[in-house]
């Protein structure tokens, strides 16, 4: 096992509510409902930001982090996400993968430039608004 997994295993799953809140079942349930509602509001705001300008995914993961303070399922989702992001970042640092990505990006840019060039050659540069009027 790598050290990242060891560190994750050392952190206990479950509620991180203060002890006086955990001591009372109704208070703890109210706490969980509050955490869920706040996390839901943050996740919903992130979902709204996905098509709109704003850091949608960052806000969604922030809402998941809020849920993870209280719910085991959210803690497990965040651990899985962190592990996948770390694995992907390590793969991206591989020289072969980087070279392939650079080549694919260059080929894509050349294709787009050629298509734009053909369009401009055939139709010219025409702006969709009329400045002279």
């Amino acid at each position: 096992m790598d050290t990242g997994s060891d560190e994750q295993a050392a952190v206990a799953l479950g509620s991180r509510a203060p002890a006086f809140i955990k001591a009372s079942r109704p208070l703890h349930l109210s706490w969980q409902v509050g955490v869920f509602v706040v996390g839901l509001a943050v996740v919903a705001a992130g979902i709204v930001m996905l098509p709109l300008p704003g850091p949608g995914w960052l806000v969604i993961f922030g809402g998941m982090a809020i849920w993870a303070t209280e719910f085991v399922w959210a803690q497990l989702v965040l651990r899985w996400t962190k592990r996948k992001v770390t694995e992907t970042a390590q793969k991206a640092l591989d020289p072969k993968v980087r070279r392939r990505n650079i080549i694919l990006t260059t080929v894509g840019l050349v294709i787009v430039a050629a298509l734009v060039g053909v369009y401009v050659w055939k139709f010219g540069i025409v702006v969709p608004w009329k400045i002279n009027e």
Side-chain angles (χ1 to χ4, degrees), residues 117-133:
V118 167
Y119 179 84
V120 169
W121 173 69
K122 188 160 180 119
F123 300 107
I125 297 177
V126 179
V127 292
W129 55 87
K130 296 180 181 178
I131 297 175
N132 296 334
E133 292 181 8

Side-chain angles (χ1 to χ4, degrees), residues 5-130:
S5 298
D6 294 339
E7 291 172 10
Q8 288 175 353
V11 177
L13 294 175
S15 176
R16 291 189 176 86
F20 74 92
I21 290 177
K22 289 183 192 178
S24 169
R25 178 77 177 137
L27 189 57
H28 192 225
L29 187 59
S30 300
W31 177 270
Q32 286 181 324
V33 168
V35 167
F36 182 80
V37 168
V38 170
L40 184 63
V42 173
V43 168
I47 290 171
V48 168
M49 285 184 207
L50 287 175
L52 300 175
W57 284 111
L58 185 64
V59 174
I60 290 171
F61 288 127
M64 289 296 297
I66 291 170
W67 281 337
T69 63
E70 199 57 37
F71 302 108
V72 173
W73 62 267
Q75 293 168 1
L76 295 174
V77 167
L78 282 179
R79 284 184 182 181
W80 179 84
T81 303
K82 183 178 178 182
R83 189 174 61 249
K84 290 298 178 184
V85 167
T86 303
E87 289 172 6
T88 304
Q90 289 301 320
K91 286 180 186 175
L93 293 176
D94 180 21
K96 291 179 185 176
V97 174
R98 289 184 68 192
R99 191 175 314 113
R100 183 198 66 204
N101 289 345
I102 290 170
I103 290 169
L104 288 174
T105 302
T106 304
V107 168
L109 288 174
V110 166
I111 290 171
V112 167
L115 291 174
V116 168
V118 167
Y119 179 84
V120 169
W121 173 69
K122 188 160 180 119
F123 300 107
I125 297 177
V126 179
V127 292
W129 55 87
K130 296 180 181 178

